[in-house]
Amino acid sequence: MEATSAIIGERDLHRLAILRNEMVGDHLNWIRACDEMVEHVAYAVVDITTDDWMERILEGGFDGLLTQPTGWSSAFKTLYDERTAILANVLGLPLYPSYTEITIYENKKFLSYWLKANRIPHPGTHVFYHQREALKFIERAHFPLVGKTNIGGGGSGVRILHSADEAKGYLSRTFSRRGAPRSVGPKWRKAGFVGRAIRKLKNPAALLDRLQQYRTMRDESQHDFVLLQDHVPHKFEWRVVRIGDSFFAHKKLMLGEKASGSLLKEYGDPPLDLLTRVKEITDKHGLYSQAVDLFETRDGGYLVNEMQCIFGQSDPHQMLVGGVPGRYRHSDGKWIFEAGDFNKYESYLLRLQYFLGTLPPKGSNAAAQQSTT
């Protein structure tokens, strides 16, 4: 059990709790960001997976909670969703990313319900808890189809099913004790594997954390339901990132039959209507730490494929325009590009800066600060 760490800082600083999950190193970028903002932030790490999680949070007197939802196992995903539901909806504590963002994160079937209910265009998605119903669907389906595990990023649980026979085999395995197929282990075929491996070997703690992730993924078995998605022909996916009022975009290129998890990117000035579409979705639903992956349709529209409040960042930046890193912001009805490094610590510093701006001012000059905002 990890005890809540001592609060670092003075009483006029914002007091934040970092809600770590079951993985030892998942929350370290929050710590790095808080350490850089030490003049503004006092923080403690609370392990939300332990029995005394609520007492630690209530006793801490925190102004806000920095969340790190898990994406490694269904059991701990359920734990994180349930406990943050109490924090947000019963105790009324500020969470960032928010409870809504946590619930749609790494839960593909729930995301499909959420997208459909909110009439957000997305690839047709079908969730079957009965094998007989799924077999009837396959008999009339158009192929290829995409089989997905409910949890698992980086394309680890994605399978392209090219025929009815292949789909029947996928159903048979998924509804058996073996469960849905899933890739586990180092992504040696993906760009930059050697560099990533060397970095892990130089950092034993990170290596142990990654091995723990592989063990968790290996033990995860989805066999109660199957998720099938209509295949959308594409050569790339757009990834649009929104953090606060900062927007970034790049193309995720395909490796084999999938863009998800390929780590192959193409940078350039994104279409502004794409940014506008993502802004409309995230504004309406209050999503301010979000990566939205979209397919571009032949008629110029967009289909939302994935939405994630926590996401990987293999490069130092999320966007390059004319070879220059930066962000877009929307001001006076126009998109304005600002050059700069806004993605430090995999964009966690930008997240922290945004969240602090949403909290009431602290300290003796709080009233003066509030009167100027």
Side-chain angles (χ1 to χ4, degrees):
M1 178 188 301
E2 179 184 8
T4 307
S5 62
I7 289 287
I8 304 168
E10 303 297 333
R11 66 179 61 182
D12 62 339
L13 305 181
H14 281 295
R15 297 163 65 89
L16 305 179
I18 299 170
L19 305 186
R20 60 155 290 193
N21 59 39
E22 77 278 16
M23 292 296 172
V24 175
D26 259 14
H27 64 291
L28 295 182
N29 278 319
W30 275 130
I31 291 178
R32 295 180 182 109
C34 287
D35 285 343
E36 182 140 333
M37 298 285 290
V38 69
E39 295 182 358
H40 305 279
V41 173
Y43 71 90
V45 176
V46 177
D47 186 344
I48 198 173
T49 71
T50 60
D51 180 59
D52 58 352
W53 62 280
M54 192 182 304
E55 289 80 5
R56 294 183 183 277
I57 292 170
L58 293 177
E59 292 168 3
F62 300 111
D63 301 307
L65 310 176
L66 303 172
T67 65
Q68 186 69 34
T70 183
W72 302 107
S73 76
S74 298
F76 281 102
K77 165 66 176 165
T78 299
L79 176 151
Y80 212 99
D81 286 3
E82 290 175 347
R83 296 186 176 186
T84 51
I86 297 298
L87 296 174
N89 300 331
V90 179
L91 298 177
L93 299 175
L95 273 63
Y96 183 72
S98 68
Y99 176 66
T100 297
E101 290 173 303
I102 291 168
T103 57
I104 64 176
Y105 173 72
E106 285 300 338
N107 189 340
K108 295 181 181 65
K109 57 184 173 67
F110 184 81
L111 175 63
S112 73
Y113 310 152
W114 187 87
L115 291 170
K116 187 173 184 179
N118 287 295
R119 301 189 178 186
I120 297 172
H122 61 286
T125 306
H126 315 271
V127 180
F128 301 101
Y129 280 79
H130 305 289
Q131 188 171 0
R132 183 178 300 177
E133 183 187 15
L135 285 169
K136 288 183 178 179
F137 169 77
I138 285 173
E139 290 174 359
R140 64 180 188 273
H142 296 284
F143 289 89
L145 287 172
V146 183
K148 291 185 174 183
T149 55
N150 192 50
I151 195 169
S156 61
V158 177
R159 294 293 184 275
I160 309 300
L161 309 173
H162 298 91
S163 67
D165 285 343
E166 197 172 345
K168 289 176 183 177
Y170 182 84
L171 291 183
S172 178
R173 169 165 176 165
T174 300
F175 283 107
S176 73
R177 288 190 175 185
R178 296 174 66 196
R182 192 177 180 192
S183 300
V184 178
K187 298 178 175 64
W188 59 271
R189 293 183 59 201
K190 296 182 180 179
F193 169 74
V194 173
R196 295 195 307 276
I198 291 173
R199 288 194 294 273
K200 288 290 187 297
L201 291 172
K202 290 181 177 179
N203 186 344
L207 179 60
L208 290 173
D209 199 50
R210 183 51 57 91
L211 292 175
Q212 181 189 357
Q213 293 167 2
Y214 291 153
R215 286 194 297 270
T216 301
M217 292 172 67
R218 184 193 61 220
D219 295 339
E220 177 77 8
S221 177
Q222 176 186 306
H223 51 78
D224 295 323
F225 62 90
V226 68
L227 190 153
L228 300 174
Q229 190 172 82
D230 296 345
H231 182 267
V232 178
H234 63 284
K235 294 182 179 179
F236 63 88
E237 280 183 285
W238 282 109
R239 164 155 289 188
V240 182
V241 170
R242 177 176 191 171
I243 298 176
D245 62 354
S246 300
F247 289 78
F248 312 85
H250 60 263
K251 290 181 179 179
K252 298 167 58 181
L253 304 180
M254 295 185 70
L255 178 65
E257 295 183 293
K258 297 181 290 185
S260 181
S262 73
L263 303 184
L264 299 175
K265 303 179 182 66
E266 180 180 297
Y267 294 103
D269 205 353
L272 298 183
D273 68 318
L274 173 66
L275 301 183
T276 299
R277 180 64 185 128
V278 171
K279 184 178 185 300
E280 290 170 350
I281 294 170
T282 51
D283 276 350
K284 182 175 180 179
H285 301 286
L287 312 177
Y288 299 109
S289 174
Q290 202 66 210
V292 184
D293 295 339
L294 308 98
F295 297 127
E296 188 172 337
T297 62
R298 292 174 180 173
D299 61 359
Y302 299 102
L303 299 176
V304 173
N305 186 37
E306 299 277 0
M307 296 181 70
Q308 304 159 336
C309 60
I310 300 294
F311 43 89
Q313 181 179 306
S314 57
D315 293 333
H317 43 263
Q318 287 284 2
M319 183 172 65
L320 296 174
V321 174
V324 177
R327 66 181 174 186
Y328 269 103
R329 300 178 75 181
H330 197 260
S331 178
D332 296 327
K334 297 180 180 179
W335 287 104
I336 308 297
F337 177 74
E338 298 179 0
D341 177 12
F342 301 105
N343 303 117
K344 196 170 183 180
Y345 308 131
E346 298 186 24
S347 303
Y348 278 74
L349 182 59
L350 185 62
R351 286 184 176 96
L352 178 60
Q353 291 167 339
Y354 166 73
F355 185 52
L356 289 176
T358 68
L359 299 176
K362 297 278 286 187
S364 58
N365 61 342
Q369 291 182 45
Q370 217 154 13
S371 66
T372 61
T373 58

